[in-house]
Amino acid sequence: MSSNKKLIIFGAGRMGLSHAAMAGLLVPELRSIVVEPSFKTRTMLMLFCSRKITVKSDVCRSEIRAATHAIIATPPRVHQQNLLLLRESGFSGRLLIEKPISVAVEDVSLFDNVMSGYVLRHAHFWKLLKDRLRRESVHKVSVLLETNQDFGAVADGWRVQENAPGLSLLSEFGSHCINLMLDLIPLSGLSIISNKTNRVVLVSNGKFGHNIELKANSRDVRKSVYSVTVETSASVYMTDFYSFTKTLPDGTIAESANLASAGVHARAYLRGVEFCEQMDTLLADTPINRADLTGALETDRLLSEIQEDMRCRK
């Protein structure tokens, strides 16, 4: 990777800082600017950040034009504002927008190389699953998210929305599940089967009945775990992103692997191997696959429809 890369990150929350750290691990000579309006947060970062990271409350247009890469990792309500700032300042580099991307289609479409924060698409076993499915016809997709987080407890932050049962759970985890399903099959829409504080079930419109289940306050997991099951005419595939299996109709396991047995490793590790792969893709010189942005925009549309339906059901 070229050493003349310059990165601007909007937002010094957990994702913004994670991206800054990962970029620095992959390209130690990288110069980065982190834009954060909070004085308290900036003061803390100035004490701990390396000399190659500059922390600022604002960034001038000449700095934006000089940047080769940008990441929008602010709360979604200001994604559009930051996108317009990039456009109006003449930014022409590679851009990552954290999920949900929450930007206008006509504005983001003006950028040539844009990717979303849907990091699971970069996972080793997700790529393996998609490779296997190139030779088979998908009959049914089931996506499960299980987390020990209790959405019945009082919490703060932009992710928490208490005005409808299941809305906070959906807003926190639903977009990843929808985005994964869209990467495998087209979806015209999703209907709500159940919306409770700690459990949401969605089913696809149409005859196949692809489904998504969000299960919170679980005692069976220590952290959030996504798993995907795909049924075809010839086999059943399952991955939880740590392991992968292919089962034949007679119950025989035809293929089985985990990250260790597959020898999967990252050049640098932070938040998982797929997080490294995502940053590698952003910092690379090859064109970014437009399907990533298309899937993210469609995820936004479907998520917004379901959220509105939940509010109407209140």
Side-chain angles (χ1 to χ4, degrees), residues 63-84:
E63 289 174 312
I64 293 176
R65 281 195 299 274
T68 57
H69 297 73
I71 297 174
I72 297 177
T74 53
R77 66 178 180 274
V78 292
H79 281 190
Q80 176 69 11
Q81 174 186 324
N82 289 313
L83 182 73
L84 292 178

Side-chain angles (χ1 to χ4, degrees), residues 61-107:
R61 296 194 174 193
S62 62
E63 289 174 312
I64 293 176
R65 281 195 299 274
T68 57
H69 297 73
I71 297 174
I72 297 177
T74 53
R77 66 178 180 274
V78 292
H79 281 190
Q80 176 69 11
Q81 174 186 324
N82 289 313
L83 182 73
L84 292 178
L85 176 60
L86 289 171
R87 191 188 73 182
E88 293 164 1
S89 300
F91 175 77
S92 59
R94 298 164 73 87
L95 172 62
L96 185 151
I97 307 175
E98 265 304 333
K99 61 90 185 173
I101 63 172
S102 304
V103 295
V105 177
E106 60 270 21
D107 292 318

Side-chain angles (χ1 to χ4, degrees), residues 224-298:
S224 303
V225 177
Y226 294 88
S227 60
V228 179
T229 302
V230 181
E231 299 176 25
T232 73
S233 57
S235 49
V236 176
Y237 295 94
M238 196 287 292
T239 182
D240 60 2
F241 298 89
Y242 301 97
S243 63
F244 178 91
T245 58
K246 174 184 178 179
T247 306
L248 301 180
D250 64 1
T252 302
I253 296 178
E255 188 175 1
S256 179
N258 56 46
L259 292 175
S261 66
V264 178
H265 65 279
R267 293 198 298 120
Y269 191 87
L270 179 71
R271 299 179 70 99
V273 174
E274 62 273 12
F275 195 68
C276 176
E277 292 293 321
Q278 181 187 55
M279 184 57 67
D280 257 333
T281 300
L282 179 66
L283 295 178
D285 297 320
T286 54
I288 294 173
N289 189 339
R290 198 72 177 179
D292 186 293
L293 175 62
T294 302
L297 291 169
E298 183 64 4

